[in-house]
Amino acid sequence: MAYQSVFNGTRIAPLPLMGAGAALALLLILSALVFIERQPWLGLGVDYDNESGFPIVSVVYEPQHAAGSVRQDSRLTAIISDRGDRISLEGFDPTLEPSGFAHFDVQKHYFERSTEITEVLAEGASLEVDGEHRVPVSLAKGRGLDSLPADFWLLNLFGLLVWAIGLSVFAARPGERAARMLCLSSAGFYVSCLFNSIYVCRELAMSGETLASLSAGNRTALLVMLFAILALMARFPGRITRRPPELYLTVAFCLVLVNEWQQLVELPVHSFFLPVYIMYAAGIAIAFVQWRKTRNYPVDRAALKWMLLAVFIIMGTGLVTYYIPITVRGSPLLPEWGLVAIASMLYVGFALGIIRYRLFQVDRWWLTIWIWFLGGLSIVLVDMALIAYLKVQPPVALMGAVIFVGWLYFPVRQWAWEGLTGGKGRRQHQLVRMVEEIAGAVPSGEVNDTWQSVLTRSFDPASIQPIENRVSEVRLGENGTRMDVPLLEHNGALRLFYAHGGKRLFSTDDREYAENLFQVSRRILRVHQAEMEAVQQERQRIVRDLHDDVGGQLLSLLRQAPDDYYGSLARNALQSLRESMKAIDNDAIQDASGCIDDWQAEAEERLFPLGVNLDWSKQLNTAPLQFSVRQAINLRRILFEAISNALQHASPRRISVYLKSDDNYLELTLVNDGVDQSTRHKGLLRGRGLNNMQTRASELGGMSEFSIDGEVANVRTVIPIIP
């Protein structure tokens, strides 16, 4: 795996870089757990009842800290200090998102009230429950992991997922500005989730100063995430400004951040959410500019479509389900972790875009790094969960984590990998069958046609066209929009455009697979060609031997024949020998017109002495008609087998032969009269002669049929002709 330059010439491999990033993320989560454990805690889980307007107890973790008198669903109406001061809890929602307040002064008042409650609880106080009785409470000295709400784990899980995606893209392409912006955005996302996960664990007691700091950290990281996404959009697939867009966005980021930290200017509608709305509108404007710039660049346009689909659908869903409802009615449609889950899909969309369109020019091996990293991280997380929740001993927990991940994660990973990469394993399994198919096309001379068919089935390109360029190896062009594959025979190549019916670009995996298929097929083709040359040489040797030995002896026998009978036998044997010698040469082509004239002369010579009249008719296509040696031999033998059958099984006075052809087929029909009664009764019983005719026709890809109508017998043969 190639090493990448990261900082100041330091070279770090992608996987160690991701490991360091994961270690840092886990260290921050451990720090968050330590921080939460040290916060004031009553041993309760607290929600807010909108109907009554008071906090309510959702779960009791440590009843001893509340004298065992606080029950689930109890309303906490007030806190009574040791001095007798009563602090009402009416309208105080301990689950609120601090940045959800529309105005700075409202948020400031919330922090002050939270500080007041924390200070009273720290000095010792009682809870007023259901407005009726007081319950003395004391703060717990520690907090177990099992008391942390599910929101904490969900927020950190989604944060880790996004951080892994962004970091892996940066590890693969550290020199790409767009990859850096994605990594920065994912870092902001993760840090925002981390701060958020801390203050969602608060009970009643968290100081306003601490809560304000956590909220400010959350907002700062969120703004980093959003502005980095804008910078990414302004740079990908091409920069839309003369100067780096990060300059303008950094100025805007600082203005928004200073205003929120110092609370200088109250913004209309919502002081915290209005910048989010403005950034969404700015994203639309940037997308419009990018759309116009890529109108003549289909590859960039395809990648831009995918990125904009991920950004605007995901971010738009977040606006509709979270930000806008809080702005309009004061409460979201989804909890905080639901918004984070939706936002994380933005980065999952980027990951799928890398697989589909190679966003940021990241090769698909990026996914391999990420999947292996996720496998190791899964073992760590399962190990921690077993120790924390099931109280399993560390050695046993580690073994259980390895077994669990090995049995569940890795099979799922393999299935997902094959689906995302187009089933590379399945294609490799089909390699042997495809090569066999190409080898089978050698005798028919259709190797290139079969090769094109194999490539079409393998990659399902949107289009494929032949090119005359001399190509010696498989090549990718125009960022994967096309792939040039050499032909197996002759010069030239096939150019494939867009894989999977135009749904994705060609990848290096596709190129490697096509190159392997090409090399194996070419080797097999050479072996078959060598075999065919050897067979042809052996055929020529046999023909020479037959001509010099058997042919010479038959010619001597013909010259020394004592009478016409033996001379005819020798002449027929010599004719059969010549036909057999021609049949050995499968590539020989004969003029059909000359063959037909020879057949007519031979038929007349055979029938004339017997007093049988011969009618010969031919209606051939105007285009020159040609026979292969096998066609000429089989047709001649079918014709004279039919004549022999007519003479043997009937008493014909006339035999008629009709030949006609079109662009595709030749039809040979022989009709004879003189069929007697006994022959008609068994006329359709096929003897060896009729079966031979049918077999010879089948060898040529045609058919032969026999019928009797009264005193007339009919033999009809149809074969395809050579184009």
Side-chain angles (χ1 to χ4, degrees):
M1 187 176 298
Y3 281 70
Q4 307 290 348
S5 297
V6 182
F7 300 112
N8 300 324
T10 302
R11 304 175 74 83
I12 304 177
L15 201 55
L17 180 61
M18 290 184 62
L24 176 62
L26 293 176
L27 181 62
L28 291 175
I29 293 176
L30 291 175
S31 301
L33 290 172
V34 172
F35 181 85
I36 293 171
E37 194 272 338
R38 294 181 178 180
Q39 293 302 304
W41 188 55
L42 297 174
L44 305 174
V46 182
D47 285 332
Y48 184 74
D49 183 12
N50 289 311
E51 294 184 1
S52 65
F54 287 97
I56 62 171
V57 176
S58 59
V59 61
V60 178
Y61 293 106
E62 300 286 349
Q64 67 273 17
H65 297 298
S69 301
V70 179
R71 300 180 303 275
Q72 188 174 352
D73 296 329
S74 297
R75 285 186 302 116
L76 306 179
T77 54
I79 295 178
I80 311 298
S81 69
D82 289 344
R83 298 187 300 271
D85 298 329
R86 184 179 184 274
I87 301 174
S88 175
L89 295 180
E90 184 176 7
F92 181 76
D93 184 355
T95 65
L96 279 179
E97 164 60 43
S99 61
F101 295 106
H103 304 288
F104 294 141
D105 57 346
V106 178
Q107 185 195 59
K108 184 177 180 181
H109 175 71
Y110 182 83
F111 290 152
E112 292 173 350
R113 196 172 181 187
S114 180
T115 298
E116 181 182 17
I117 294 171
T118 303
E119 291 176 350
V120 170
L121 289 174
E123 295 174 355
S126 300
L127 290 177
E128 183 181 274
V129 180
D130 295 327
E132 298 176 354
H133 57 278
R134 299 180 181 181
V135 178
V137 293
S138 59
L139 298 179
K141 295 181 179 180
R143 181 173 185 177
L145 292 179
D146 56 345
S147 68
L148 297 181
D151 295 31
F152 174 85
W153 303 108
L154 290 173
L155 289 170
N156 281 287
L157 175 63
F158 290 125
L160 281 174
L161 172 67
V162 170
W163 172 234
I165 292 175
L167 182 62
S168 61
V169 172
F170 173 73
R173 299 289 293 183
E176 286 285 336
R177 287 288 183 91
R180 294 178 183 178
M181 291 301 102
L182 180 64
C183 184
L184 179 61
S185 175
S186 67
F189 185 99
Y190 169 71
V191 175
S192 176
C193 289
L194 183 68
F195 282 115
N196 199 345
S197 69
I198 295 175
Y199 62 71
V200 296
C201 295
R202 71 187 188 273
E203 197 184 40
L204 283 174
M206 177 174 280
S207 71
E209 182 179 351
T210 301
L211 185 57
S213 299
L214 293 173
S215 178
N218 173 45
R219 281 290 298 177
T220 302
L222 178 64
L223 291 174
V224 169
M225 164 196 160
L226 295 177
F227 275 104
I229 287 180
L230 284 181
L232 169 62
M233 295 178 62
R235 275 202 171 270
F236 186 83
R239 196 171 74 181
I240 64 173
T241 57
R242 296 181 60 184
R243 294 184 178 181
E246 295 87 349
L247 295 177
Y248 307 102
L249 293 172
T250 300
V251 172
F253 169 77
C254 292
L255 290 175
V256 173
L257 192 62
V258 169
N259 186 62
E260 289 191 5
W261 281 0
Q262 301 299 322
Q263 299 187 355
L264 301 175
V265 179
E266 286 278 5
L267 300 179
V269 182
H270 200 292
S271 293
F272 293 100
F273 290 174
L274 182 61
V276 177
Y277 300 145
I278 294 175
M279 281 187 278
Y280 192 82
I284 294 176
I286 293 173
F288 177 76
V289 176
Q290 289 282 22
W291 190 266
R292 289 180 57 84
K293 288 176 67 68
T294 59
R295 59 182 178 271
N296 296 323
Y297 302 94
V299 178
D300 291 344
R301 175 64 63 87
L304 180 64
K305 285 179 180 179
W306 185 268
M307 188 181 74
L308 295 184
L309 182 70
V311 171
F312 288 115
I313 288 184
I314 300 301
M315 300 301 289
T317 303
L319 289 178
V320 171
T321 59
Y322 190 84
Y323 289 98
I324 293 177
I326 290 181
T327 303
V328 174
R329 66 178 192 174
S331 61
L333 299 178
L334 292 176
E336 188 79 10
W337 68 265
L339 172 66
V340 172
I342 292 175
S344 66
M345 292 300 102
L346 168 65
Y347 297 87
V348 174
F350 285 148
L352 295 176
I354 290 170
I355 298 167
R356 192 183 186 102
Y357 297 109
R358 294 208 298 279
L359 298 180
F360 322 123
Q361 302 302 316
V362 177
D363 289 328
R364 194 174 297 184
W365 60 265
W366 162 87
L367 186 62
T368 306
I369 299 174
W370 193 75
I371 287 180
W372 280 106
F373 163 75
L374 188 59
L377 183 62
S378 299
I379 294 177
V380 175
L381 294 178
V382 173
D383 180 53
M384 292 175 60
L386 292 175
I387 294 174
Y389 287 97
L390 300 181
K391 310 301 181 183
V392 179
Q393 293 298 318
V396 179
L398 179 59
M399 184 181 300
V402 172
I403 294 174
F404 176 80
V405 173
W407 285 353
L408 180 63
Y409 169 76
F410 288 112
V412 172
R413 184 205 68 178
Q414 186 65 25
W415 170 81
W417 171 254
E418 290 186 359
L420 291 172
T421 57
K424 180 180 177 182
R426 291 190 297 272
R427 290 197 311 185
Q428 296 290 356
H429 181 70
Q430 297 171 354
L431 182 62
V432 175
R433 182 177 57 81
M434 292 180 178
V435 171
E436 290 177 349
E437 183 178 346
I438 294 171
V442 173
S444 62
E446 299 177 351
V447 172
N448 284 337
D449 292 339
T450 305
W451 178 235
Q452 180 172 338
S453 175
V454 166
L455 293 175
T456 300
R457 293 200 309 273
S458 297
F459 301 104
D460 187 24
S463 63
I464 184 171
Q465 65 183 34
I467 59 174
E468 297 180 357
N469 299 354
R470 185 179 180 87
V471 178
S472 59
E473 61 182 5
V474 180
R475 299 174 182 173
L476 296 179
E478 298 179 5
N479 296 317
T481 59
R482 62 177 173 82
M483 182 170 66
D484 295 342
V485 183
L487 291 174
L488 291 175
E489 288 186 331
H490 315 299
N491 295 328
L494 295 173
R495 177 163 290 174
L496 286 65
F497 293 92
Y498 299 99
H500 288 181
K503 295 180 180 179
R504 68 173 180 86
L505 303 179
F506 289 104
S507 67
T508 53
D509 284 344
D510 295 324
R511 188 201 65 78
E512 180 181 354
Y513 175 78
E515 181 67 24
N516 290 338
L517 183 60
F518 171 70
Q519 294 295 342
V520 172
S521 299
R522 187 169 62 175
R523 291 190 183 98
I524 296 297
L525 181 62
R526 289 174 178 173
V527 171
H528 273 259
Q529 289 174 340
E531 290 178 352
M532 292 180 63
E533 291 177 0
V535 169
Q536 184 63 25
Q537 292 175 0
E538 182 65 15
R539 286 174 176 173
Q540 293 174 358
R541 186 191 65 78
I542 294 173
V543 168
R544 288 194 302 269
D545 291 345
L546 289 175
H547 179 272
D548 296 341
D549 188 5
V550 181
Q553 295 183 26
L554 288 176
L555 186 59
S556 299
L557 182 61
L558 176 62
R559 291 174 179 175
Q560 299 174 10
D563 52 37
D564 292 341
Y565 174 75
Y566 289 103
S568 177
L569 290 178
R571 189 178 297 107
N572 290 338
L574 188 60
Q575 175 65 25
S576 297
L577 176 63
R578 289 171 178 170
E579 289 180 349
S580 298
M581 292 167 59
K582 290 180 180 180
I584 293 176
D585 186 5
N586 287 328
D587 296 329
I589 300 297
Q590 301 184 16
D591 177 59
S593 179
C595 292
I596 293 173
D597 291 341
D598 290 342
W599 299 342
Q600 181 180 0
E602 186 176 354
E604 289 175 348
E605 180 181 354
R606 182 173 180 181
L607 296 177
F608 180 76
L610 301 177
V612 179
N613 295 321
L614 175 65
D615 292 336
W616 193 276
S617 174
K618 60 180 179 179
Q619 297 178 356
L620 304 180
N621 193 8
T622 55
L625 184 61
Q626 294 180 323
F627 289 152
S628 66
V629 173
R630 178 52 58 189
Q631 284 179 321
I633 292 175
N634 282 19
L635 282 174
R636 176 185 175 277
R637 290 180 178 175
I638 289 172
L639 172 64
F640 286 99
E641 186 72 44
I643 291 175
S644 297
N645 284 347
L647 296 175
Q648 181 178 356
H649 300 291
S651 301
R653 296 181 297 276
R654 181 178 300 278
I655 293 178
S656 300
V657 178
Y658 305 96
L659 292 105
K660 62 180 180 179
S661 69
D662 55 19
D663 293 335
N664 300 311
Y665 296 96
L666 171 72
E667 181 178 334
L668 168 64
T669 304
L670 185 142
V671 179
N672 67 273
D673 58 5
V675 178
D676 58 25
Q677 185 69 22
S678 62
T679 303
R680 285 198 297 271
H681 286 308
K682 59 180 180 180
L684 294 181
L685 297 176
R686 299 190 178 277
R688 178 174 298 177
L690 296 178
N691 286 332
N692 287 342
M693 287 189 287
Q694 193 173 48
T695 299
R696 295 184 190 281
S698 298
E699 289 177 356
L700 304 178
M703 52 80 66
S704 183
E705 58 184 7
F706 171 75
S707 62
I708 295 178
D709 184 9
E711 295 183 352
V712 177
N714 184 299
V715 176
R716 177 174 173 269
T717 302
V718 180
I719 66 165
I721 61 177
I722 298 176

